[in-house]
Amino acid sequence: LARNIRMVEVAREAGVSLMTVSRVINHKQDVNPETRQRVLEVIHRLGYRPSGIARGLATRRTATLGLVVPDISNPFFSSLARGVEHIAYEGGYNVFLGNAEEDPQREWDVLLSLEDKHVDGVVLCSSRLDQARLKSVLSRQPAVVLVNRRLEAGVDHVLLDDEAGGRLATRHLLSRGHIQIGFLAGPAASYSARRREAGYRETLASAGVDFDPGWIQPCAPTVEGGQQGAARLLQARPELTALFCYNDLVAVGALQAAARLGRCVPQDLAVVGFDDILLAALVTPALTTCRVPLYELGSQAARSLLARIRGRPEACREVVLQPELVIRQSAP
Amino acid sequence: LARNIRMVEVAREAGVSLMTVSRVINHKQDVNPETRQRVLEVIHRLGYRPSGIARGLATRRTATLGLVVPDISNPFFSSLARGVEHIAYEGGYNVFLGNAEEDPQREWDVLLSLEDKHVDGVVLCSSRLDQARLKSVLSRQPAVVLVNRRLEAGVDHVLLDDEAGGRLATRHLLSRGHIQIGFLAGPAASYSARRREAGYRETLASAGVDFDPGWIQPCAPTVEGGQQGAARLLQARPELTALFCYNDLVAVGALQAAARLGRCVPQDLAVVGFDDILLAALVTPALTTCRVPLYELGSQAARSLLARIRGRPEACREVVLQPELVIRQSAP
DNA sequence: CTGTTAGCGCCTTCAC
DNA sequence: GTGAAGGCGCTAACAG
């Protein structure tokens, strides 16, 4: 049946007023069960569906969420997106996908366009915006949940416990007898990278290891970055027997660098990654890594956002999810 | 500046009528340059932004697209999504992400919800809907582009030339001296799988190869599926010296199966994949594969959709993109 | 060139 | 229980 059916049509057909139809649709009380039944029957028969925009204009709520990520083609964010979409859908919300393409200006523009569309709230992931602009976003949007980026108290957050991840990885290597453990640190500006480093340093310190700052090597968060970083680090500090890597891509790069330097993994060098993307289990040797619950990060963010939208501010203002060590061949 | 500013406010502040402001905003002609300038200045000063929903109600166009995929966390679709989003954004459109989760019923529901939101058009990828429902979607949505699924003439399509992919892979293996080439065919119900098979059979036939239908083995489109399929196939037909695989994940599974059977790749068995996902270059041995231009699939779909929405139906009713052979170690 | 008059389709408030 | 106004913020069709 056609799309042009409006509420008046249904009302006329059912022999009631427009308002009664509206009440039925919105599950209001104070409608005679018989009338309700008759209206529902007509709605069904005509295939009537209320217009979201008209309703949005009248109620100022659109049953619509925004999801902003730096790069949707990154497996990290696409898994997260699945979590957000799933919970939103269950709650009757549609989600706008905003891809910032790793560009703060574009991120800002996307956020503005979401305002124009009157989303009820936004899940903002790994924002590349500076503090000032980030705060501005928070003040202009009706509701925001920050994922993977901390701002200040009073804002809803969903975070991974990166520090715990750093501890897990480092502790595992220590327990296997490694003392001289390098860290391929990823981007210098990354919040997560600094937290993981903190966990790493803390664990080494509490084990009484004679730590050398030269063991830490920043690198791009890619296979190439890992390759170059590992090559440099292993040549500068040949005493290292293990590497903790910012993420799995970097770890794969480290694997390649080790092979070129004739160092056999795991015998001559242990390698631990982060994230546990699909790839991690499939490279040779398979990667030991810290699994990040990506889907849960997204679903939690959506849950927090819906809770806030629906006015239960007491519910979870800050959710911290824990990583989990997955032991495979690169550091058995 | 606040969000509560409406057009009347701007009009009052600029000393003109509401209509003049509307004209300025919509870049209509017939506005005195000075007036226009004054209005623009006020708009800027007040930080006014027109309401998308109000405008949507009035014009019946929402500057909004729907994107429906079976699984956004699949790298295939997330790359495609990036292409769609990018072109949509450039054209001033926002895109709703609909994740069907490989479930036809959910796909249908998502499509309905997009109707309610009055999207101007939909990019529908690898639809799992039957022909009847698919047609129904087309008739109810103002504009639809089908990706990776053929329906009938008169509908906009963006497709990969799967048959050419099958030919490319098979021809490459033939040129390397392989005659007995198996096909790990993926899901029996997959449209792409059947097209790739057609290219494979055609190439074998025209090379005069004495083909055996037992060389074809269906399997799930995953690493496990590839593993099991390859194990079965190689045991049933030990004469095979090469495998063409439905996709890269299947190919990785084949690699694992070969290793377990003590067959060394590429010496004892050549393997060719499909898609060229990130993984393909990183496994050992690196996969020879047919690269699918995922981003372009998405951006083309968005372009076709915008063309149709903007009423240039003569523009590209069917776009067919070509795969490209990438030669690596698994079949040098 | 600019302003006035009607809606777009629905919901809110208030009567009945 | 139900219905009749009025308005959400904007644009289309006419006037001037």
Side-chain angles (χ1 to χ4, degrees):
Chain A
L1 302 320
R3 178 106 289 259
N4 328 1
I5 301 155
R6 289 167 316 238
M7 227 161 74
V8 238
E9 263 95 88
V10 176
R12 199 157 33 216
E13 187 76 12
V16 294
S17 89
L18 188 151
M19 265 320 296
T20 303
V21 178
S22 173
R23 287 193 179 100
V24 170
I25 295 225
N26 294 293
H27 308 97
K28 304 273 186 189
Q29 304 312 317
D30 297 340
V31 176
N32 184 312
E34 288 176 14
T35 320
R36 174 190 301 277
Q37 206 44 52
R38 184 152 38 94
V39 171
L40 282 174
E41 194 271 322
V42 173
I43 287 177
H44 187 74
R45 181 153 51 78
L46 265 44
Y48 168 75
R49 309 204 106 220
S51 155
I53 8 157
R55 183 185 293 204
L57 224 210
T59 60
R60 314 177 103 335
R61 315 211 303 92
T62 54
T64 276
L65 263 37
L67 167 64
V68 180
V69 295
D71 177 11
I72 188 62
S73 70
N74 181 327
F76 190 96
F77 295 113
S78 62
S79 291
L80 200 148
R82 194 165 75 84
V84 172
E85 206 273 350
H86 188 83
I87 298 302
Y89 176 82
E90 278 187 346
Y93 284 73
N94 285 90
V95 5
F96 276 119
L97 171 64
N99 202 41
E101 314 220 315
E102 303 282 2
D103 174 1
Q105 184 55 48
R106 199 172 182 307
E107 182 179 337
W108 179 253
D109 292 345
V110 163
L111 254 357
L112 282 186
S113 77
L114 291 179
E115 273 183 60
D116 295 348
K117 292 299 196 303
H118 281 212
V119 295
D120 294 334
V122 171
V123 173
L124 180 49
C125 300
S126 305
S127 176
R128 267 58 163 160
L129 257 27
D130 57 64
Q131 303 292 88
R133 291 202 150 184
L134 202 44
K135 282 190 192 172
S136 166
V137 170
L138 293 172
S139 69
R140 306 176 55 131
Q141 292 285 0
V144 179
V145 172
L146 257 29
V147 177
N148 237 8
R149 161 92 185 243
R150 191 185 293 274
L151 191 61
E152 58 190 6
V155 180
D156 286 340
H157 290 273
V158 175
L159 302 161
L160 178 82
D161 193 337
D162 285 296
E163 205 171 317
R167 285 194 299 262
L168 273 179
T170 312
R171 233 179 259 151
H172 174 69
L173 290 169
L174 284 171
S175 79
R176 291 307 190 261
H178 296 280
I179 308 272
Q180 282 136 333
I181 303 170
F183 180 41
L184 279 175
S190 161
Y191 175 79
S192 326
R194 289 198 305 274
R195 305 301 304 156
R196 289 171 200 176
E197 181 182 326
Y200 155 83
R201 297 181 95 124
E202 179 200 314
T203 306
L204 287 187
S206 66
V209 171
D210 186 20
F211 172 73
D212 174 351
W215 292 354
I216 298 183
Q217 171 69 247
C219 64
T222 60
V223 175
E224 295 70 40
Q227 237 248 71
Q228 291 163 16
R232 180 169 313 161
L233 186 57
L234 290 174
Q235 276 164 341
R237 308 281 161 157
E239 74 270 23
L240 295 174
T241 65
L243 291 180
F244 169 38
C245 304
Y246 173 66
N247 68 18
D248 290 334
L249 296 178
V250 168
V252 170
L255 250 32
Q256 297 178 346
R260 289 195 195 169
L261 292 171
R263 297 185 62 165
C264 195
V265 176
Q267 295 86 337
D268 306 336
L269 184 75
V271 174
V272 176
F274 214 103
D275 286 353
D276 195 29
I277 61 179
L278 176 63
L279 178 62
L282 300 175
V283 289
T284 312
L287 283 177
T288 291
T289 190
C290 289
R291 172 174 297 161
V292 176
L294 298 172
Y295 176 88
E296 284 72 23
L297 236 35
S299 59
Q300 264 309 329
R303 262 189 279 270
S304 295
L305 188 55
L306 291 186
R308 172 153 308 270
I309 288 172
R310 290 166 174 165
R312 304 187 243 127
E314 65 283 9
C316 45
R317 298 180 83 74
E318 177 165 323
V319 179
V320 178
L321 265 32
Q322 294 300 322
E324 184 188 342
L325 191 67
V326 179
I327 299 174
R328 298 202 185 89
Q329 293 125 43
S330 71
Chain B
L1 302 320
R3 175 109 287 258
N4 329 357
I5 301 155
R6 289 168 316 239
M7 226 161 75
V8 239
E9 262 96 87
V10 177
R12 200 160 29 221
E13 187 77 12
V16 294
S17 89
L18 188 149
M19 267 319 293
T20 303
V21 179
S22 173
R23 287 195 179 96
V24 170
I25 294 227
N26 294 293
H27 307 98
K28 304 271 185 191
Q29 305 309 321
D30 300 339
V31 176
N32 184 312
E34 287 177 14
T35 321
R36 174 189 302 277
Q37 207 44 53
R38 186 151 37 94
V39 171
L40 282 174
E41 194 271 319
V42 174
I43 287 176
H44 187 74
R45 181 152 52 79
L46 264 45
Y48 168 74
R49 310 202 104 220
S51 156
I53 8 156
R55 183 185 290 199
L57 225 210
T59 59
R60 314 179 93 353
R61 312 209 310 86
T62 52
T64 277
L65 262 37
L67 166 65
V68 179
V69 295
D71 178 11
I72 189 61
S73 71
N74 181 326
F76 189 97
F77 295 113
S78 62
S79 292
L80 200 148
R82 192 166 75 86
V84 171
E85 205 274 349
H86 188 82
I87 298 301
Y89 176 81
E90 277 188 348
Y93 284 74
N94 285 89
V95 6
F96 276 119
L97 171 65
N99 202 41
E101 313 220 313
E102 304 280 3
D103 174 1
Q105 183 55 48
R106 200 176 182 303
E107 181 179 339
W108 178 253
D109 292 343
V110 164
L111 253 358
L112 282 187
S113 76
L114 291 179
E115 274 183 59
D116 296 347
K117 293 298 197 303
H118 282 223
V119 294
D120 294 335
V122 171
V123 173
L124 180 50
C125 299
S126 306
S127 176
R128 266 59 162 161
L129 257 26
D130 58 65
Q131 302 292 88
R133 290 202 153 183
L134 202 44
K135 283 190 192 173
S136 166
V137 170
L138 294 173
S139 68
R140 307 175 55 131
Q141 292 286 0
V144 178
V145 172
L146 257 28
V147 178
N148 236 6
R149 162 90 185 245
R150 192 183 291 275
L151 191 59
E152 59 191 7
V155 181
D156 286 339
H157 289 274
V158 175
L159 302 163
L160 178 82
D161 194 339
D162 285 297
E163 206 171 315
R167 285 194 300 262
L168 273 179
T170 313
R171 234 181 257 149
H172 173 69
L173 289 169
L174 284 171
S175 79
R176 291 309 191 262
H178 296 281
I179 309 271
Q180 282 137 331
I181 303 170
F183 179 42
L184 278 175
S190 162
Y191 175 79
S192 327
R194 289 196 304 275
R195 307 299 305 155
R196 288 171 200 176
E197 180 183 325
Y200 156 82
R201 297 180 94 124
E202 180 200 315
T203 306
L204 287 187
S206 65
V209 170
D210 185 21
F211 171 74
D212 174 350
W215 291 354
I216 298 183
Q217 171 69 246
C219 65
T222 59
V223 175
E224 295 70 39
Q227 238 249 68
Q228 291 164 15
R232 182 169 312 163
L233 187 57
L234 291 174
Q235 276 165 338
R237 309 280 161 159
E239 73 269 23
L240 296 174
T241 65
L243 292 180
F244 169 37
C245 303
Y246 173 67
N247 69 18
D248 290 335
L249 295 178
V250 169
V252 170
L255 250 33
Q256 297 179 344
R260 291 198 194 169
L261 292 170
R263 296 185 63 166
C264 197
V265 177
Q267 295 87 334
D268 307 335
L269 184 75
V271 173
V272 177
F274 214 101
D275 286 352
D276 195 29
I277 59 178
L278 176 64
L279 178 62
L282 299 176
V283 289
T284 312
L287 284 177
T288 291
T289 190
C290 289
R291 173 175 296 162
V292 176
L294 297 172
Y295 177 88
E296 285 72 23
L297 236 36
S299 59
Q300 264 308 329
R303 263 189 280 270
S304 295
L305 188 56
L306 291 185
R308 171 152 307 268
I309 288 171
R310 288 164 177 167
R312 305 185 243 128
E314 65 282 10
C316 46
R317 297 179 84 74
E318 177 164 324
V319 180
V320 178
L321 265 33
Q322 294 300 322
E324 184 188 343
L325 190 68
V326 179
I327 299 174
R328 299 202 185 90
Q329 293 125 41
S330 71

